[in-house]
Amino acid sequence: MIKVITDGVGPFGIEPDMKKAKAALASLKDGSCKGNDFLGWLKLPEYIGSEEYARVKACGKKIYDNADALVVIGIGGSYLGARAALEFICSQRFNETGRKGPKVYFLGNGINAADTLQVLELVKGKSLYVNVISKSGTTLEPAVSFRIFKKYLEDTYGKEEASKRIVATTDARKGALKGLADAEGYECFVVPDNVGGRYSVLTAVGLLPLAAAGIDTDAILKGAKEAEKYCLAEREDNPALLYAAYRQAVYENGKKVEVLSVPSESVRFFAEWWKQLYGESDGKDGKGIFPASCVYTADLHSMGQYIQEGERILFETGLSFENISSKLVVPTSEDNADGLNYLAGKDFSEIYNAARDGVKKAHIDGGVPCLEIRAEKQDEVSLGELIFFFETACGISAIMSGVNPFNQPGVEAYKSNMFALLGRK
Ligand code: PA5
């Protein structure tokens, strides 16, 4: 079970409003909250038994067995979850570790010629599949990227074979991508109408690229199912209730920025996923906690100064794992030139935990309220638990602050300016 440790908030005399948090959870569960047409994610732990999931696994296996390379094209909620999960399970070096299955390249998450050309070069001569993911089917960045790869596949394999190597994840009925996919005969997967982009990682959006990469997606859904039991329950130790109530309490006490600190590079993208989830859900109507993130201990050497002594607008949420499976012990050095023999025989995780606890104490002393989130291990089951936990807490938290957690009206503003500048009729 995910644990939330709140002793780092107590010294600030801040009390959470648990009654309000429980009312927010109840409104999520009975569907009376704002944005209640987007509550499909609450049922996604059940996706494991669906016909669509059986197709996701079959298609994932086909790609796993036949592809040397998979290009996954998407942006925002149609990108971050799959990448976060892949790095969480396989590390940021997911293409270099000897993992079986295709190399995975993420594109369409920006407009960058050099990046796109580099991937085209990397996949040349390889058996290539493409999974294009866009709920609306009209997002410019993935659509432009897809044009390039569609052409590459058609030039390389011919139109008929190319259409067997392209898989589209999109709306069930409407949108430009759905129309194109039907016309060209691509295999299609659905982004459900009642699941927003940032809540979609446990649908084909996240699970298909993961299955194709050889990740145990059943275990991820099993973890989500486990979290469903305690995150939707009205019990005192419900971590989603605690996290939501405490973050709202510190926000109301003037802490406007939340720094999610994560314990390694492999969790960096999980923090990126978390930032979208919380930023797009909370940040509207002139309200909301700004979500930021740090990788420890690396960022203590760059951002540590600000967190310790900068403007007192921050609170911190530290994510860590109870059991670290990789063991690495500091060796003894005969000359002890670096003076570190006092660490000889200690495991890296013991040193990290000392850094984590030392940092927490220093930050509390420096005026930064600290929450901690502990998951059991950095594995598929814990990942599923963390996903469902953070999604539920996010819904509760945004409802507590009075906004609609599931819309993102502000995302459209830049698009209309950009389209006008590009001359769209
Ligand atoms: O959360 C959101 O709605 C956005 O981040 C979208 O996921 C992102 O813009 C991609 O949209 P689409 O899947 O329609 O291409």
Side-chain angles (χ1 to χ4, degrees):
M1 172 163 162
I2 307 288
K3 282 191 210 133
V4 174
I5 299 167
T6 59
D7 62 354
V9 174
F12 297 87
I14 296 171
E15 288 294 333
D17 186 343
M18 295 307 296
K19 213 171 139 199
K20 195 171 175 189
K22 283 180 188 166
L25 173 61
S27 74
L28 259 186
K29 283 167 58 180
D30 67 20
S32 60
C33 62
K34 284 186 187 163
N36 53 10
D37 42 348
F38 278 95
L39 290 175
W41 59 273
L42 278 164
K43 298 271 174 252
L44 287 177
E46 267 67 66
Y47 193 69
I48 196 161
S50 67
E51 213 177 284
E52 173 97 344
Y53 181 58
R55 284 202 310 118
V56 164
K57 284 184 57 170
C59 180
K61 182 162 173 11
K62 179 183 78 184
I63 297 173
Y64 180 83
D65 288 341
N66 295 296
D68 300 322
L70 168 68
V71 171
V72 181
I73 297 177
I75 195 166
S78 295
Y79 154 64
L80 287 162
R83 176 137 183 209
L86 192 56
E87 297 206 2
F88 188 100
I89 303 299
C90 301
S91 99
Q92 70 279 17
R93 300 189 188 90
F94 54 84
N95 278 340
E96 299 155 45
T97 51
R99 172 183 57 79
K100 292 201 183 105
K103 305 263 188 244
V104 181
Y105 302 102
F106 291 95
L107 278 179
N109 52 333
I111 308 271
N112 188 300
D115 202 27
T116 309
L117 288 166
Q118 196 173 55
V119 175
L120 275 171
E121 201 52 44
L122 284 165
V123 301
K124 208 177 267 173
K126 305 260 168 66
S127 169
L128 174 67
Y129 282 71
V130 169
N131 180 201
V132 54
I133 309 169
S134 178
K135 181 174 177 156
S136 62
T138 52
T139 309
L140 184 135
E141 295 90 334
V144 166
S145 238
F146 181 55
R147 274 198 177 202
I148 305 282
F149 279 85
K150 178 176 183 291
K151 180 169 183 331
Y152 173 83
L153 283 172
E154 289 176 355
D155 290 350
T156 307
Y157 298 101
K159 220 169 157 41
E160 198 184 329
E161 175 63 17
S163 68
K164 293 187 186 138
R165 289 170 175 265
I166 296 172
V167 181
T169 307
T170 188
D171 191 275
R173 290 169 297 276
K174 57 183 190 302
L177 179 57
K178 177 64 184 157
L180 179 68
D182 286 348
E184 304 274 344
Y186 306 153
E187 182 162 15
C188 279
F189 292 91
V190 172
V191 192
D193 286 344
N194 59 358
V195 178
R198 60 190 173 276
Y199 280 85
S200 68
V201 56
L202 299 179
T203 69
V205 171
L207 298 177
L208 176 58
L210 292 171
I215 302 298
D216 182 356
T217 50
D218 286 359
I220 296 176
L221 287 167
K222 215 172 107 195
K225 182 92 197 134
E226 191 53 36
E228 184 188 27
K229 286 186 208 146
Y230 56 78
C231 288
L232 299 183
E234 269 214 27
R235 47 193 253 194
E236 292 310 310
D237 64 347
N238 175 336
L241 276 177
L242 282 169
Y243 176 47
Y246 270 89
R247 69 192 295 279
Q248 280 304 318
V250 289
Y251 175 60
E252 280 160 20
N253 277 271
K255 306 298 183 189
K256 310 281 188 200
V257 177
E258 177 176 13
V259 178
L260 181 74
S261 57
V262 297
S264 76
E265 277 297 329
S266 58
V267 195
R268 182 188 285 278
F269 249 87
F270 186 77
E272 295 300 318
W273 170 83
W274 171 88
K275 282 196 267 194
Q276 185 200 4
L277 180 64
Y278 280 78
E280 272 190 356
S281 302
D282 263 357
K284 54 198 69 152
D285 304 344
K287 299 188 210 175
I289 299 166
F290 184 84
S293 65
C294 280
V295 177
Y296 285 172
T297 62
D299 293 346
L300 291 169
H301 300 261
S302 52
M303 298 305 292
Q305 172 61 35
Y306 191 103
I307 298 172
Q308 191 66 43
E309 295 183 344
E311 197 171 348
R312 302 298 68 196
I313 50 171
L314 306 173
F315 70 100
E316 183 169 10
T317 299
L319 172 63
S320 61
F321 302 98
E322 308 269 10
N323 301 309
I324 309 285
S325 53
S326 304
K327 300 286 171 211
L328 186 60
V329 163
V330 178
T332 308
S333 153
E334 250 176 49
D335 60 16
N336 194 26
D338 53 12
L340 292 180
N341 268 354
Y342 74 99
L343 294 177
K346 283 198 197 299
D347 190 78
F348 273 40
S349 61
E350 195 183 338
I351 302 173
Y352 180 81
N353 289 346
R356 177 195 66 195
D357 297 345
V359 166
K360 178 175 168 182
K361 186 173 174 333
H363 287 174
I364 293 169
D365 292 345
V368 179
C370 289
L371 288 166
E372 276 190 82
I373 292 168
R374 299 254 174 98
E376 205 191 317
K377 289 190 206 147
Q378 195 174 334
D379 66 1
E380 289 86 342
V381 174
S382 285
L383 173 66
E385 282 190 71
L386 282 168
I387 289 170
F388 196 81
F389 155 74
F390 275 122
E391 289 177 347
T392 308
C394 182
I396 298 170
S397 184
I399 292 168
M400 286 178 79
S401 102
V403 300
N404 176 347
F406 308 116
N407 65 0
Q408 56 285 327
V411 178
E412 294 309 311
Y414 94 93
K415 291 186 190 167
S416 41
N417 291 345
M418 174 179 72
F419 290 139
L421 288 167
L422 289 170
R424 186 168 85 170
K425 297 271 184 314

